[in-house]
Amino acid sequence: MARTTGSEGVKTRSAIDAAAKRLIARVGYEAMSMRQLADEVGVQSAAFYHYYPNKQQLLFSLMRAHMVRLIDAWEETSSGVEDPVERFAAFIRFHITYHADRRDDVHIGNMELRSLNADNRAVIVALRGRYENSLREILDDGLDARQFVIDDIALMTRAIIGMTTGINLWFRSDDRLTVTEVAEKYVQMGLRLVGAKKIETATTGGRNVSVRTKVRSF
């Protein structure tokens, strides 16, 4: 059981979490040692065990915290957005912009699921499923409303998640397009994939703002 007391304990745990993410992303979970982590934080190795009982629990805590923050942020972002086309566009924008600022979390989430024990892996897989199901529900709603044309919703869900998460492999802040501009282009690509008409956007001061929505008429 993790034991933390007072503001210093919170600061130390935050420092451990941040350093662990950097190290795991750089060298991998298996290669990261507690001595490396302690040196990175600037504490004695024994101090680690005041916050986590073992290295496995540290990895699980990092991955679970990322997924909980992700789900909470999406639920807040999507609150009040009812139209399936607008909700779909909002999902793509959110997914890209949220993950572009969290490269280490994304890398760890993709590469280290295999390093979790069975019980911990089941928790993370369930959280992933909850998040991905929010996209699947959007696609279901769009299909029911005859705004989308999709013949395999499960496959389309995976395709959209993979496409939007994949920008972390190549996007850099000094690229010719901003992350907002990339997100808008991916919105248009995503809408074509699901058979909806594009959302027209106006660009002002480097930001893309939705103006109106066109949907396929039947």
Side-chain angles (χ1 to χ4, degrees), residues 59-199:
L59 177 63
F60 172 65
S61 178
L62 294 176
M63 294 178 70
R64 183 180 182 278
H66 169 61
M67 288 307 306
V68 169
R69 287 192 300 266
L70 174 66
I71 291 168
D72 288 348
W74 165 242
E75 289 178 351
E76 180 179 357
T77 298
S78 61
S79 177
V81 184
E82 300 296 337
D83 178 74
V85 174
E86 293 288 355
R87 197 170 176 85
F88 178 71
F91 183 91
I92 291 179
R93 292 189 190 102
F94 167 81
H95 190 87
I96 289 176
T97 56
Y98 188 92
H99 286 83
D101 288 335
R102 295 164 176 83
R103 290 180 180 277
D104 288 349
D105 286 311
V106 174
H107 180 77
I108 292 168
N110 288 337
M111 299 303 296
E112 300 298 349
L113 187 66
R114 62 192 176 187
S115 300
L116 293 172
N117 63 36
D119 289 342
N120 289 340
R121 189 184 309 117
V123 172
I124 301 303
V125 168
L127 288 170
R128 283 186 170 193
R130 179 179 163 188
Y131 178 68
E132 292 177 7
N133 279 341
S134 65
L135 173 58
R136 182 165 183 160
E137 289 170 2
I138 294 169
L139 299 180
D140 277 326
D141 291 344
L143 193 60
D144 289 344
R146 307 188 72 187
Q147 292 177 305
F148 298 159
V149 180
I150 304 169
D151 62 0
D152 190 326
I153 286 183
L155 183 60
M156 184 62 72
T157 301
R158 295 190 180 99
I160 297 297
I161 293 289
M163 179 180 82
T164 51
T165 303
I167 73 157
N168 281 67
L169 297 174
W170 58 264
F171 178 78
R172 296 294 179 269
S173 58
D174 59 352
D175 281 350
R176 65 183 180 85
L177 298 175
T178 67
V179 67
T180 304
E181 290 168 335
V182 170
E184 287 305 319
K185 289 182 181 295
Y186 271 62
V187 165
Q188 305 307 339
M189 286 190 284
L191 290 170
R192 286 195 293 271
L193 281 174
V194 300
K197 293 288 184 69
K198 72 177 183 178
I199 295 177

Side-chain angles (χ1 to χ4, degrees), residues 29-46:
Y29 168 76
E30 295 295 340
M32 183 192 73
S33 70
M34 292 301 96
R35 182 179 296 276
Q36 279 180 304
L37 180 56
D39 289 344
E40 187 87 4
V41 179
V43 298
Q44 296 294 318
S45 297

